[in-house]
Amino acid sequence: MVEDGLQISGEAEMMDYRPSQRSELDIDMPVRQKGKRRGKKKTACGESSSSMMDAHLVDDSDEDFWYQSLGSRLGLCGSGFCGLRLQVLQCLCVSSIKTCGDLVAHPVEWSDPSRKKIQYHYKEHDFNISISWMPFLVKTGILDPSLGHPFDLYLDEFDDTWSNQTAHFHYVIISAGHWFFHPSYFHLQHRLHGCLYCPEPDSNNITHLTPAFAYRRAFRTAFRATGYKTFVRTFAPSHFEGGAWDKGGNCLRTRPFTRNERSLDEKALEFYTIQLEELGIARTQNRGKRFVLFDTTKPMVLRPDGHLSIYGHFPGAKLVMPNDCVHWCLPGPIDAWSDFLQEPLKREVVHK
């Protein structure tokens, strides 16, 4: 089907937003944006035509960011994309202060030894940004791919890295995605329930399941753990071409796709649909909490030119690693995420 100019593979009803899934506070990142345009930038990823994409959502200067965030605590919870969003937000903070004519603020930084929890406190504005690295959103065992065995995911248990902090945040942005394709054991009700890509054969003792099984249950658990106001950032698809990630696939395009040039693949569509469905369930079952859809899937599927490709490590590093068509360059397409995040923040100020 075609949804707002984006061709989506699969059944039409899978992309229909039923009333329980949509809210007047939801925000879709437009596929194109009039007004602000960015010229080509030379980055570590090569030359990128980083034009921002045609809705009049961001029509004020960056100083609005501070007026909307004054006295607020913002939590970013999820995978490595949280770190990228944190860097973008920090750049927005600096540019906002310069716009206001003040001195550039230097936030107070705190982190745990593992750097899985990082906090930045802007004292001048009583504003806090926190990041919690928890790529599965739920309780896990040791997450070290170098150990060579599947991860342990406890799909119905909260991750204490962030769940015991959500009450302190005014806003929480959660996201998760590509880590769910890693080999894993799935635990439910304190028992091994199944696995993904595990070495054991399918039997009465263990059932081989899909990434979607874990993805759905992880979001369902995470929604129970969140605080009052939660933004759900939707799945950002990868752009491997010419092969899978471990079969020489790469992302060498230097221009975005046009509106109808690219379809969501089956796995990305499945994850995206799960997020919409679980969001609708959460809105029904978690009374007293507010959930806002922050839809980045539709514009990001059009940006194959924004990935790291072969530049996912320092120049000269002698590493043998797959091409990176999952993570994003900075500067790059995800700069727009924070621009558009300002719109629901404005709406929240009005709602208050």
Side-chain angles (χ1 to χ4, degrees):
M1 65 169 285
V2 175
E3 173 75 12
D4 294 335
L6 173 62
Q7 181 182 354
I8 303 292
S9 60
E11 297 298 325
E13 61 266 25
M14 296 185 72
M15 287 290 292
D16 288 342
Y17 298 124
R18 296 185 291 276
S20 63
Q21 295 171 317
R22 299 295 285 178
S23 161
E24 72 279 3
L25 292 175
D26 285 347
I27 182 69
D28 294 298
M29 284 181 57
V31 175
R32 297 188 61 81
Q33 176 187 351
K34 292 179 180 177
K36 290 186 180 180
R37 295 192 64 84
R38 299 174 181 173
K40 292 186 176 181
K41 297 180 179 180
K42 202 73 175 181
T43 72
C45 303
E47 192 175 75
S48 173
S49 56
S50 168
S51 60
M52 287 183 62
M53 307 177 259
D54 264 79
H56 301 282
L57 291 181
V58 184
D59 53 6
D60 298 317
S61 67
D62 288 338
E63 64 187 283
D64 284 345
F65 179 84
W66 288 115
Y67 298 127
Q68 296 151 15
S69 305
L70 187 66
S72 296
R73 294 174 178 83
L74 174 65
L76 308 175
C77 306
S79 63
F81 286 141
C82 289
L84 291 176
R85 289 204 306 279
L86 176 62
Q87 293 171 15
V88 172
L89 282 170
Q90 286 179 297
C91 292
L92 180 59
C93 291
V94 171
S95 65
S96 300
I97 298 168
K98 288 181 177 179
T99 300
C100 296
D102 300 329
L103 294 174
V104 174
H106 296 283
V108 177
E109 178 182 348
W110 173 90
S111 68
D112 67 357
S114 68
R115 299 285 291 179
K116 292 181 179 180
K117 293 179 65 176
I118 307 174
Q119 297 178 1
Y120 290 91
H121 177 52
Y122 291 84
K123 294 188 293 185
E124 296 86 347
H125 301 273
D126 189 24
F127 175 58
N128 289 274
I129 305 177
S130 300
I131 178 173
S132 298
W133 184 80
M134 21 155 293
F136 293 104
L137 301 177
V138 295
K139 179 182 175 181
T140 65
I142 298 174
L143 298 180
D144 186 353
S146 67
L147 297 178
H149 59 73
F151 302 141
D152 285 294
L153 310 186
Y154 302 87
L155 297 174
D156 55 355
E157 299 184 45
F158 298 157
D159 185 331
D160 292 337
T161 302
W162 71 291
S163 62
N164 56 9
Q165 300 293 319
T166 56
H168 303 294
F169 296 133
H170 293 95
Y171 311 102
V172 175
I173 305 175
I174 66 171
S175 61
H178 298 275
W179 275 76
F180 281 84
F181 295 106
H182 281 274
S184 303
Y185 293 113
F186 304 144
H187 301 262
L188 289 170
Q189 298 180 340
H190 307 289
R191 299 180 60 183
L192 180 62
H193 184 81
C195 70
L196 172 70
Y197 307 138
C198 63
E200 292 85 355
D202 202 351
S203 66
N204 293 332
N205 295 325
I206 190 166
T207 303
H208 286 248
L209 300 167
T210 65
F213 174 87
Y215 198 67
R216 181 179 297 279
R217 282 155 183 79
F219 267 94
R220 188 170 299 179
T221 299
F223 286 153
R224 290 193 290 112
T226 57
Y228 165 67
K229 184 62 177 283
T230 303
F231 294 94
V232 184
R233 200 271 294 166
T234 58
F235 184 73
S238 60
H239 291 90
F240 289 99
E241 295 186 88
W245 70 272
D246 57 347
K247 304 294 182 183
N250 207 345
C251 39
L252 300 175
R253 295 180 184 266
T254 57
R255 304 181 70 88
F257 288 121
T258 58
R259 285 174 179 262
N260 294 316
E261 192 178 355
R262 178 72 172 186
S263 298
L264 272 178
D265 63 39
E266 182 179 356
K267 292 180 179 179
L269 176 61
E270 185 175 33
F271 273 27
Y272 179 60
T273 303
I274 287 172
Q275 287 180 305
L276 299 184
E277 292 174 347
E278 290 302 317
L279 177 65
I281 294 172
R283 283 173 169 164
T284 301
Q285 295 182 347
N286 293 276
R287 299 298 184 183
K289 295 184 179 181
R290 293 163 58 77
F291 296 91
V292 177
L293 179 68
F294 184 26
D295 194 336
T296 59
T297 302
K298 287 181 279 188
M300 299 311 287
V301 75
L302 304 181
R303 296 307 305 267
D305 57 315
H307 294 289
L308 301 173
S309 183
I310 64 173
Y311 300 101
H313 53 80
F314 291 107
K318 296 181 179 180
L319 299 173
V320 178
M321 56 191 305
N323 300 313
D324 190 344
C325 302
V326 174
H327 298 95
W328 302 90
C329 297
L330 284 177
I334 70 167
D335 289 335
W337 293 8
S338 293
D339 290 338
F340 289 107
L341 179 60
Q342 292 184 67
E343 178 63 20
L345 285 176
K346 289 181 185 178
R347 296 181 187 181
E348 180 63 15
V349 171
V350 173
H351 181 80
K352 287 180 179 178

